[in-house]
Amino acid sequence: MSESEVGKDTTPEPSPANGTGPGPEWGLCPGPPTVGTDTSGASGLGTPRRRTQHNKHKTVAVASAQRSPRALFCLTLTNPIRRSCISIVEWKPFDILILLTIFANCVALGVYIPFPEDDSNTANHNLEQVEYVFLVIFTVETVLKIVAYGLVLHPSAYIRNGWNLLDFIIVVVGLFSVLLEQGPGRPGDAPHTGGKPGGFDVKALRAFRVLRPLRLVSGVPSLHIVLNSIMKALVPLLHIALLVLFVIIIYAIIGLELFLGRMHKTCYFLGSDMEAEEDPSPCASSGSGRSCTLNHTECRGRWPGPNGGITNFDNFFFAMLTVFQCITMEGWTDVLYWMQDAMGYELPWVYFVSLVIFGSFFVLNLVLGVLSGEFSKEREKAKARGDFQKLREKQQMEEDLRGYLDWITQAEELDLHDPSVDGNLGHNCQS
């Protein structure tokens, strides 16, 4: 067999199975490439082709696990419009811009001064015009996120998140109110003054603007943790509320038995219905309570009682109200001193001190304990989600690196097991 025939028979053809082949970049010959440019081109393109296919497969797999395969029934993950929207909404400066816009909107809502009879001034008129800018920005953000994530069908769609649903409702109500304001209005209605647009009066719809500061929750992860902990604690807080109600009922019944009718005696001048003190308080006609020490005064009934007759234990509902006031520790010492003046020291101290210790220090502080526990759980969940996301990214990098190493290993095996490679390279160098 001639030398040319050997070179012809042993020259490797590019294989579609592996996509690789020897080329000038593999050899030791410093000369220019030989005529087999197709083979070398195929081998040279094998690396980026295999790498591109591998990356494309991984990217589509990860994206399909997180995003809807189709948005609005027509936009796939490979659609350039949707890919652009995803890039924009996941761009960090875009989130910062939205947060700054929400802060500016909060400032505008705080500066706005409502006037009666639809009156206004120049500052309010300018703020009304700025509201359109905010509405346009929020509308663009909503549209971009709907195109990027889908609307509702996929589990990761836009309004499947509660906070995104709130944002969507606020934007839709804002657009609806603007459309109604720009309408022709009903015949006979007085035109809006102070620079306000004409059309229908949509004050109720415009009141939804006060919900825009809640959009900060969807942009600040720490607020997510706080509000989620409050929402998760509603059921345990209901149980604690029932316990508080039970304590109030028990102490109200005990107060009815001990203090019924005790708060309606005070000091009067003899022979008249004039109160002897400028700031009257209960007294006791007998026993260890407070006695009237002024001349020509006596302790007798027919006084409404402290706080206009509200603070007493004459019936079950007033007793519950008084006990609730003591549990909140709002003026409970005054109630204690009034009851002490009415009947002495022993029972009031035992009753009210035990009520404050058990009802306020223990039972009401259970609310803080429940909230603290739920907050810790939500914080741990958020930390676990963050760790899981980092682990997924690390695994993705490891899988990509493993794919590259597999490709390099296959290329080295081809180089070692194909004896024609060295012969061809040597022949090219000799020629």
Side-chain angles (χ1 to χ4, degrees):
M1 185 179 295
S2 63
E3 186 176 348
S4 61
E5 291 176 349
V6 173
K8 180 179 179 181
D9 294 338
T10 58
T11 301
E13 303 253 337
S15 175
N18 51 34
T20 59
E25 65 275 10
W26 285 25
L28 302 175
C29 179
T34 59
V35 182
T37 54
D38 293 340
T39 303
S40 63
S43 64
L45 291 175
T47 301
R49 184 182 296 122
R50 177 178 289 270
R51 184 181 304 169
T52 303
Q53 292 176 353
H54 180 76
N55 287 343
K56 183 177 180 181
H57 173 72
K58 290 297 182 181
T59 304
V60 172
V62 175
S64 61
Q66 296 178 352
R67 305 187 185 97
S68 172
R70 290 182 179 272
L72 304 178
F73 300 102
C74 60
L75 300 176
T76 62
L77 288 171
T78 58
N79 187 280
I81 298 177
R82 188 179 180 190
R83 291 173 60 185
S84 300
C85 293
I86 292 174
S87 301
I88 292 174
V89 298
E90 293 183 353
W91 189 35
K92 191 63 178 178
F94 179 78
D95 293 336
I96 296 175
L97 174 63
I98 296 300
L99 288 177
L100 292 178
T101 305
I102 296 173
F103 277 118
N105 192 12
C106 295
V107 173
L109 291 174
V111 174
Y112 185 86
I113 302 176
F115 289 93
E117 301 297 334
D118 288 341
D119 198 3
S120 183
N121 56 10
T122 304
N124 285 358
H125 175 70
N126 294 333
L127 291 174
E128 293 287 345
Q129 303 304 318
V130 173
E131 281 292 328
Y132 294 127
V133 178
F134 293 142
L135 184 59
V136 168
I137 295 176
F138 294 144
T139 304
V140 170
E141 178 206 8
T142 301
V143 171
L144 290 176
K145 289 186 176 180
I146 290 176
V147 173
Y149 303 131
L151 183 60
V152 67
L153 295 181
H154 195 267
S156 62
Y158 176 64
I159 64 174
R160 294 291 285 269
N161 184 292
W163 299 111
N164 290 339
L165 178 61
L166 176 63
D167 297 345
F168 181 76
I169 292 174
I170 293 173
V171 170
V172 170
V173 171
L175 293 173
F176 187 64
S177 63
V178 170
L179 293 177
L180 289 181
E181 285 177 350
Q182 301 303 326
R186 292 174 295 184
D189 288 346
H192 289 266
T193 58
K196 284 190 176 183
F200 293 93
D201 189 5
V202 288
K203 289 181 179 179
L205 294 179
R206 294 172 66 86
F208 276 87
R209 293 183 303 177
V210 301
L211 297 177
R212 287 183 182 172
L214 291 178
R215 290 173 54 89
L216 287 173
V217 177
S218 60
V220 181
S222 59
L223 293 180
H224 280 181
I225 299 175
V226 174
L227 291 179
N228 286 337
S229 62
I230 294 176
M231 298 297 292
K232 294 292 182 62
L234 288 181
V235 175
L237 287 179
L238 178 61
H239 298 162
I240 294 177
L242 293 177
L243 178 61
V244 172
L245 180 62
F246 177 75
V247 172
I248 291 175
I249 290 175
I250 293 298
Y251 271 88
I253 294 174
I254 296 175
L256 281 174
E257 297 294 332
L258 297 178
F259 310 129
L260 179 63
R262 296 284 187 173
M263 306 282 277
H264 297 290
K265 291 183 178 181
T266 190
C267 297
Y268 288 92
F269 287 108
L270 293 174
S272 69
D273 293 334
M274 182 181 297
E275 296 172 355
E277 300 167 332
E278 184 178 355
D279 185 14
S281 60
C283 64
S285 57
S286 62
S288 58
R290 186 180 71 92
S291 60
C292 298
T293 57
L294 296 177
N295 294 330
H296 306 290
T297 59
E298 62 177 348
C299 180
R300 66 172 184 262
R302 294 185 300 177
W303 180 50
N307 293 329
I310 296 177
T311 303
N312 59 63
F313 288 87
D314 292 345
N315 57 61
F316 181 72
F317 297 103
F318 277 122
M320 287 186 64
L321 181 61
T322 305
V323 171
F324 178 75
Q325 176 186 350
C326 295
I327 284 181
T328 60
M329 303 186 68
E330 183 66 30
W332 75 275
T333 54
D334 295 334
V335 181
L336 169 63
Y337 294 148
W338 287 332
M339 195 58 64
Q340 177 181 306
D341 292 341
M343 59 179 302
Y345 294 91
E346 295 82 5
L347 288 178
W349 276 92
V350 174
Y351 178 85
F352 287 101
V353 171
S354 65
L355 173 61
V356 169
I357 292 176
F358 182 70
S360 181
F361 292 168
F362 290 160
V363 177
L364 284 187
N365 284 332
L366 288 177
V367 175
L368 299 179
V370 170
L371 291 177
S372 177
E374 293 296 332
F375 178 75
S376 299
K377 292 179 182 178
E378 288 298 321
R379 185 172 56 185
E380 291 296 329
K381 289 180 181 179
K383 183 180 179 181
R385 285 193 295 265
D387 294 340
F388 177 71
Q389 185 66 26
K390 293 179 180 178
L391 180 61
R392 286 184 60 183
E393 294 177 356
K394 182 179 179 180
Q395 291 177 349
Q396 181 65 33
M397 294 178 62
E398 291 178 352
E399 290 178 1
D400 292 339
L401 180 59
R402 192 178 300 114
Y404 300 150
L405 293 177
D406 291 342
W407 178 84
I408 293 173
T409 304
Q410 291 178 4
E412 291 177 350
E413 290 177 354
L414 287 175
D415 188 11
L416 293 175
H417 292 85
D418 197 345
S420 62
V421 176
D422 296 334
N424 288 335
L425 291 176
H427 173 69
N428 292 335
C429 291
Q430 290 175 4
S431 61

